[in-house]
Amino acid sequence: MKKRIPSFRRKSAPEATPPTDGAVTDVFQGTAKKRVGLARSRVGIITACFLGVYAVIGGRLVHYSLAKEDGTVSNAVAPQTLARRPDIVDRNGAVLATDVRMMSLYADPSMITSADDVLDALKPIFPDLDEARAYRLLNSKGEFVWLKRQITPKQQSQVLAAGVPGVGFRPEVHRFYPGGPEAAHILGLVDIDNRGLSGIERYMDKSDGISSLMGLGLSGAMNLKPFATSIDLRVESIVRDILVEGLHKFEAVGATATVLKVDTGEIVALTSVPDFDPNNPPPATDPRMLNDAITGVYEMGSTFKTFTLAMGLESGKFTLDSLVDAKTPLIFGRSRIRDDHAQNRILTYPEVFTYSSNIGASRIAAAVGPDYQREFLEKLGLLDRMDTEIGGAGTPQRPQKWGGVFSATVSFGQGVTTTSLQTAAAAAALVNGGKLLTPTFLPRTEAEADQVAKQVISKDTSDKMRYLLRLNGTDGSGRNGQVPGYRIGAKTGTSEKIIDGKYSKDRNFNAFLAAFPMDDPQYVVLVTIDDAKKVEGVPGRTAAWNAGPMAGEIIRRCAPILGVDPDFGAEGDALLAAY
């Protein structure tokens, strides 16, 4: 039986039905909806982006508005505590140093968007601006950095005109020295924060507690009393002019001058050239920064014979009537001591001085003995460091072996070094009655001076030294430093400089010691000139031809200012007749 296979009816595929109009509409509507949705998404994203940007900008604006300082040039920061210093004045009240207000340029790095833009704006105004440093500061994380301290009003105006964002100004005080280089070595310097670094500026901070007041922020509000010195600005100015002129005329390496009041030890003027302008000081290592009158130690040459003859008188072994054998040179082994102006005979005591006899001075030193000689020079303060208010004192050098030939050479200023200021102070003691006074840059009355004075020689010896100095001024090597009417006592000193360990025959260190008026000495003037050359119109290059005339010119121009009137009467006769 044949099994019947069931038949299956194939289902036919549905016939395609043409779309109706409504279906077509739905398709287009769906596509449109998708496009609209996509567009909306894009708009939303763009809107969100804009909102984000605006939010950042708005946040930044809010940050700026809430900032403590606006930091733009049009809204400068209010002044803070200003560290002021007292004026420094001379003995007559003339201002030597004072504070002036200036502006300084700062920046707030947190408000700087482009350090390059700021530097591009500032470079034409400040050509000396340290760009590397400024760039580093502008990119730092702090909120305050100094870009330029103590700028000029013109520079401030230029910065304002440039409209540099993120920078501003702060008022500060700046130390100003009206005389420029005058008294620069005495006054010293301050740092950028107006604190004393050297000279009187530094001494004032220490002695008056100015640095403590500044540290506490009090000095800006206090009416500080001027700080008085012993300097006479008029004399200081004249002395500097004469030294600068002499330096150029004699093509010298340097020159110094000291004017000392003999009864008080007050330094009326002290100058060392070349010098510098403290308003625009050179680096500390610049040679112009050296105060050679205090720091430099030199062999003072024959000016030391002044002390040797005083020593002989003070020892009691010599009088003005003593005779000294200067017939032949002195021989110490291979060393020979001779005279530059040899008389080859026995000299009177005054002649040893007026002929500047090395042999005579050596014999005086030998007669009193090396121990007495050393102690005498120590007593005069010539062999030990002598400090003053401004510091920087040089240390004298003495022979390691004091005796024999060394004692002889010291008697005429060779083999021992000291400073110009010490020499002037010791000379003052020889003419003021025998009182040694440590020199001071501060006012000191005669009564105050007497309390600190040391009697180093007798008044009798002092009187005789006044005679000898005046005699040398009229009849000896001091003639070129004379000024009509002023009875000047003087002694020259020409010392050969040591070059490569040997005394040079053509390079000198010259000194001229003067005191006036010799019937009643009031001032000592000491001029030194280093390595002066022989120039046209001048017969020589020793002290008598350069340091001497310079000292005379100082006295001629300064004595009337100091109240010492010329006397054209019987000049010096009465004093000389007394002995």
Side-chain angles (χ1 to χ4, degrees):
M1 184 172 157
K2 194 174 183 179
K3 190 176 182 180
R4 187 180 180 183
I5 300 173
S7 61
F8 294 92
R9 185 179 180 180
R10 178 180 290 181
K11 290 182 180 179
S12 60
E15 296 180 359
T17 305
T20 64
D21 293 343
V24 172
T25 301
D26 289 342
V27 170
F28 281 110
Q29 284 180 345
T31 302
K33 287 181 179 178
K34 288 181 181 179
R35 289 178 179 173
V36 170
L38 183 60
R40 286 178 177 172
S41 299
R42 288 175 178 173
V43 171
I45 293 171
I46 293 171
T47 303
C49 290
F50 275 107
L51 289 175
V53 171
Y54 283 120
V56 171
I57 295 173
R60 197 65 175 165
L61 291 174
V62 171
H63 169 76
Y64 287 163
S65 66
L66 295 178
K68 290 182 292 185
E69 297 173 357
D70 181 86
T72 63
V73 293
S74 60
N75 293 284
V77 182
Q80 296 184 351
T81 300
L82 303 178
R84 296 185 62 86
R85 302 175 60 79
D87 289 349
I88 300 177
V89 298
D90 80 343
R91 62 190 303 118
N92 302 308
V95 176
L96 302 174
T98 189
D99 281 348
V100 294
R101 289 202 172 206
M102 296 189 75
M103 284 292 179
S104 289
L105 180 69
Y106 76 94
D108 182 350
S110 66
M111 302 178 69
I112 300 295
T113 56
S114 171
D116 290 327
D117 290 345
V118 174
L119 287 177
D120 287 343
L122 295 181
K123 277 190 294 186
I125 304 171
F126 306 102
D128 60 338
L129 185 68
D130 186 339
E131 292 185 45
R133 173 183 172 276
Y135 187 84
R136 185 177 68 254
L137 293 174
L138 291 171
N139 284 291
S140 64
K141 295 181 179 179
E143 294 184 348
F144 180 93
V145 293
W146 286 120
L147 288 182
K148 195 71 178 176
R149 304 288 293 272
Q150 298 173 355
I151 64 177
T152 66
K154 180 180 179 182
Q155 291 170 327
Q156 184 186 15
S157 299
Q158 289 173 323
V159 175
L160 286 168
V164 185
V167 301
F169 305 101
R170 276 193 178 181
E172 290 193 293
V173 288
H174 171 69
R175 201 61 164 167
F176 178 65
Y177 303 88
E182 293 171 357
H185 286 298
I186 298 171
L187 299 175
L189 294 170
V190 298
D191 64 11
I192 194 69
D193 292 317
N194 225 22
R195 299 176 190 276
L197 292 176
S198 61
I200 290 293
E201 295 281 21
R202 183 169 182 268
Y203 175 80
M204 185 171 63
D205 281 15
K206 294 166 58 180
S207 61
D208 278 17
I210 299 301
S211 57
S212 300
L213 291 175
M214 292 173 71
L216 295 172
L218 297 176
S219 63
M222 298 180 68
N223 185 18
L224 301 172
K225 181 182 177 184
F227 190 91
T229 68
S230 61
I231 300 301
D232 189 316
L233 181 59
R234 302 166 300 175
V235 177
E236 183 74 25
S237 178
I238 291 171
V239 169
R240 182 180 182 275
D241 286 347
I242 293 170
L243 287 193
V244 170
E245 183 180 344
L247 188 76
H248 293 152
K249 178 179 180 180
F250 299 110
E251 302 170 6
V253 173
T256 73
T258 303
V259 179
L260 194 67
K261 201 166 187 297
V262 301
D263 58 351
T264 63
E266 294 170 285
I267 299 168
V268 178
L270 184 143
T271 301
S272 173
V273 294
D275 52 14
F276 62 95
D277 185 351
N279 296 308
N280 186 24
T285 55
D286 192 298
R288 291 174 293 169
M289 299 293 282
L290 178 68
N291 184 354
D292 220 20
I294 288 181
T295 304
V297 292
Y298 296 95
E299 291 184 347
M300 288 292 167
S302 293
T303 54
F304 248 55
K305 288 172 185 161
T306 312
F307 309 122
T308 298
L309 267 75
M311 175 183 68
L313 296 171
E314 188 69 10
S315 70
K317 294 182 179 294
F318 295 90
T319 69
L320 291 180
D321 298 322
S322 296
L323 299 176
V324 181
D325 184 359
K327 290 184 291 186
T328 58
L330 298 178
I331 299 175
F332 296 88
R334 291 183 296 178
S335 301
R336 176 171 294 199
I337 295 174
R338 63 179 78 232
D339 284 343
D340 292 334
H341 309 285
Q343 302 299 305
N344 301 317
R345 61 179 174 83
I346 292 177
L347 301 176
T348 65
Y349 204 79
E351 285 177 330
V352 171
F353 201 53
T354 55
Y355 287 118
S356 197
S357 172
N358 294 339
I359 300 172
S362 299
R363 290 200 181 279
I364 293 171
V368 302
D371 292 340
Y372 186 94
Q373 181 190 35
R374 185 184 63 252
E375 292 170 4
F376 185 79
L377 296 177
E378 285 176 342
K379 196 162 58 173
L380 287 176
L382 290 164
L383 301 183
D384 298 307
R385 182 187 173 105
M386 177 183 282
D387 283 321
T388 64
E389 293 86 1
I390 67 173
T395 302
Q397 298 175 349
R398 61 175 78 187
Q400 294 181 348
K401 296 179 180 179
W402 200 297
V405 66
F406 297 105
S407 176
T409 59
V410 167
S411 71
F412 52 85
Q414 196 174 83
V416 60
T417 65
T418 192
T419 69
S420 298
L421 182 59
Q422 286 175 277
T423 306
L430 298 189
V431 300
N432 71 1
K435 300 178 296 183
L436 180 67
L437 291 160
T438 301
T440 180
F441 289 95
L442 306 182
R444 180 193 279 164
T445 65
E446 192 169 348
E448 292 170 339
D450 287 341
Q451 294 179 354
V452 297
K454 297 178 181 177
Q455 193 74 32
V456 289
I457 62 171
S458 66
K459 185 176 182 307
D460 181 62
T461 297
S462 176
D463 290 342
K464 290 172 179 172
M465 288 310 302
R466 287 165 44 202
Y467 165 75
L468 289 176
L469 282 164
R470 177 57 182 156
L471 182 65
N472 195 59
T474 56
D475 299 354
S477 60
R479 293 190 295 271
N480 288 349
Q482 294 302 304
V483 178
Y486 281 105
R487 301 184 297 282
I488 298 168
K491 183 70 186 82
T492 55
T494 301
S495 175
E496 295 175 347
K497 293 186 68 172
I498 298 177
I499 308 295
D500 297 329
K502 297 180 180 178
Y503 283 103
S504 172
K505 296 297 182 184
D506 56 3
R507 300 181 68 178
N508 295 341
F509 180 84
N510 298 340
F512 192 91
L513 172 65
F516 70 98
M518 289 311 294
D519 50 344
D520 181 21
Q522 297 183 39
Y523 294 94
V524 160
V525 176
L526 180 67
V527 172
T528 70
I529 185 164
D530 186 2
D531 203 7
K533 310 297 187 301
K534 185 178 181 302
V535 297
E536 186 176 357
V538 179
R541 57 182 175 82
T542 59
W545 299 110
N546 39 62
M550 291 165 67
E553 183 66 5
I554 289 173
I555 295 171
R556 186 185 71 81
R557 295 174 58 182
C558 295
I561 294 174
L562 294 171
V564 182
D565 296 326
D567 182 358
F568 296 100
E571 185 180 342
D573 292 347
L575 179 66
L576 294 176
Y579 296 96

